[in-house]
PDB file of all heavy atoms in Angstrom:
ATOM      1  N   ILE A 183     -57.753 -21.649  80.714  1.00 97.00           N
ATOM      2  CA  ILE A 183     -56.304 -21.706  80.930  1.00 97.00           C
ATOM      3  C   ILE A 183     -55.633 -22.538  79.846  1.00 97.00           C
ATOM      4  O   ILE A 183     -54.609 -22.139  79.277  1.00 97.00           O
ATOM      5  CB  ILE A 183     -55.998 -22.282  82.334  1.00 97.00           C
ATOM      6  CG1 ILE A 183     -56.387 -21.268  83.419  1.00 97.00           C
ATOM      7  CG2 ILE A 183     -54.518 -22.646  82.461  1.00 97.00           C
ATOM      8  CD1 ILE A 183     -56.301 -21.824  84.832  1.00 97.00           C
ATOM      9  N   GLU A 198     -51.135 -20.539  85.302  1.00 95.00           N
ATOM     10  CA  GLU A 198     -51.416 -21.633  86.221  1.00 95.00           C
ATOM     11  C   GLU A 198     -52.796 -21.522  86.856  1.00 95.00           C
ATOM     12  O   GLU A 198     -53.485 -22.532  87.048  1.00 95.00           O
ATOM     13  CB  GLU A 198     -50.336 -21.685  87.306  1.00 95.00           C
ATOM     14  CG  GLU A 198     -48.938 -21.995  86.758  1.00 95.00           C
ATOM     15  CD  GLU A 198     -47.885 -22.030  87.838  1.00 95.00           C
ATOM     16  OE1 GLU A 198     -48.257 -21.828  89.023  1.00 95.00           O
ATOM     17  OE2 GLU A 198     -46.710 -22.252  87.518  1.00 95.00           O
ATOM     18  N   PRO A 205     -66.612  -8.519  82.772  1.00 89.00           N
ATOM     19  CA  PRO A 205     -66.356  -8.246  81.349  1.00 89.00           C
ATOM     20  C   PRO A 205     -66.630  -6.788  80.974  1.00 89.00           C
ATOM     21  O   PRO A 205     -66.260  -6.349  79.891  1.00 89.00           O
ATOM     22  CB  PRO A 205     -67.333  -9.182  80.636  1.00 89.00           C
ATOM     23  CG  PRO A 205     -68.430  -9.408  81.629  1.00 89.00           C
ATOM     24  CD  PRO A 205     -67.774  -9.386  82.976  1.00 89.00           C
ATOM     25  N   GLY A 263     -51.572   5.824  95.031  1.00 71.00           N
ATOM     26  CA  GLY A 263     -50.429   5.521  95.880  1.00 71.00           C
ATOM     27  C   GLY A 263     -49.515   4.459  95.330  1.00 71.00           C
ATOM     28  O   GLY A 263     -48.398   4.274  95.839  1.00 71.00           O
ATOM     29  N   GLU A 328     -45.131 -27.172  65.599  1.00 58.00           N
ATOM     30  CA  GLU A 328     -44.681 -27.800  66.831  1.00 58.00           C
ATOM     31  C   GLU A 328     -45.613 -27.502  68.000  1.00 58.00           C
ATOM     32  O   GLU A 328     -45.579 -28.179  69.013  1.00 58.00           O
ATOM     33  CB  GLU A 328     -43.247 -27.368  67.156  1.00 58.00           C
ATOM     34  CG  GLU A 328     -43.080 -25.900  67.526  1.00 58.00           C
ATOM     35  CD  GLU A 328     -42.989 -25.004  66.300  1.00 58.00           C
ATOM     36  OE1 GLU A 328     -43.118 -25.538  65.175  1.00 58.00           O
ATOM     37  OE2 GLU A 328     -42.795 -23.797  66.468  1.00 58.00           O
ATOM     38  N   LEU A 336     -57.494 -24.610  67.821  1.00 96.00           N
ATOM     39  CA  LEU A 336     -57.988 -23.896  66.640  1.00 96.00           C
ATOM     40  C   LEU A 336     -58.766 -24.826  65.726  1.00 96.00           C
ATOM     41  O   LEU A 336     -59.736 -24.417  65.070  1.00 96.00           O
ATOM     42  CB  LEU A 336     -56.830 -23.227  65.900  1.00 96.00           C
ATOM     43  CG  LEU A 336     -56.136 -22.096  66.659  1.00 96.00           C
ATOM     44  CD1 LEU A 336     -55.018 -21.483  65.820  1.00 96.00           C
ATOM     45  CD2 LEU A 336     -57.125 -21.026  67.091  1.00 96.00           C
ATOM     46  N   LEU A 376     -81.431 -22.341  73.399  1.00 97.00           N
ATOM     47  CA  LEU A 376     -81.363 -22.661  71.972  1.00 97.00           C
ATOM     48  C   LEU A 376     -81.992 -21.554  71.133  1.00 97.00           C
ATOM     49  O   LEU A 376     -81.525 -21.257  70.025  1.00 97.00           O
ATOM     50  CB  LEU A 376     -82.051 -23.998  71.703  1.00 97.00           C
ATOM     51  CG  LEU A 376     -81.338 -25.231  72.292  1.00 97.00           C
ATOM     52  CD1 LEU A 376     -82.190 -26.480  72.094  1.00 97.00           C
ATOM     53  CD2 LEU A 376     -79.962 -25.416  71.667  1.00 97.00           C
ATOM     54  N   ASP A 380     -80.034 -19.341  68.196  1.00 96.00           N
ATOM     55  CA  ASP A 380     -80.507 -19.048  66.837  1.00 96.00           C
ATOM     56  C   ASP A 380     -80.647 -17.541  66.613  1.00 96.00           C
ATOM     57  O   ASP A 380     -80.328 -17.034  65.530  1.00 96.00           O
ATOM     58  CB  ASP A 380     -81.859 -19.727  66.595  1.00 96.00           C
ATOM     59  CG  ASP A 380     -81.735 -21.242  66.524  1.00 96.00           C
ATOM     60  OD1 ASP A 380     -80.648 -21.738  66.198  1.00 96.00           O
ATOM     61  OD2 ASP A 380     -82.740 -21.935  66.805  1.00 96.00           O
ATOM     62  N   PHE A 397     -70.876  -1.054  52.379  1.00 60.00           N
ATOM     63  CA  PHE A 397     -69.650  -1.169  51.597  1.00 60.00           C
ATOM     64  C   PHE A 397     -69.968  -0.952  50.109  1.00 60.00           C
ATOM     65  O   PHE A 397     -69.238  -0.234  49.400  1.00 60.00           O
ATOM     66  CB  PHE A 397     -69.021  -2.551  51.789  1.00 60.00           C
ATOM     67  CG  PHE A 397     -67.834  -2.800  50.912  1.00 60.00           C
ATOM     68  CD1 PHE A 397     -66.601  -2.263  51.218  1.00 60.00           C
ATOM     69  CD2 PHE A 397     -67.956  -3.565  49.760  1.00 60.00           C
ATOM     70  CE1 PHE A 397     -65.497  -2.484  50.404  1.00 60.00           C
ATOM     71  CE2 PHE A 397     -66.865  -3.806  48.937  1.00 60.00           C
ATOM     72  CZ  PHE A 397     -65.636  -3.252  49.258  1.00 60.00           C
TER      73      PHE A 397
END
Side-chain angles (χ1 to χ4, degrees):
I183 289 172
E198 296 180 1
E328 68 278 3
L336 294 181
L376 292 174
D380 291 335
F397 174 78

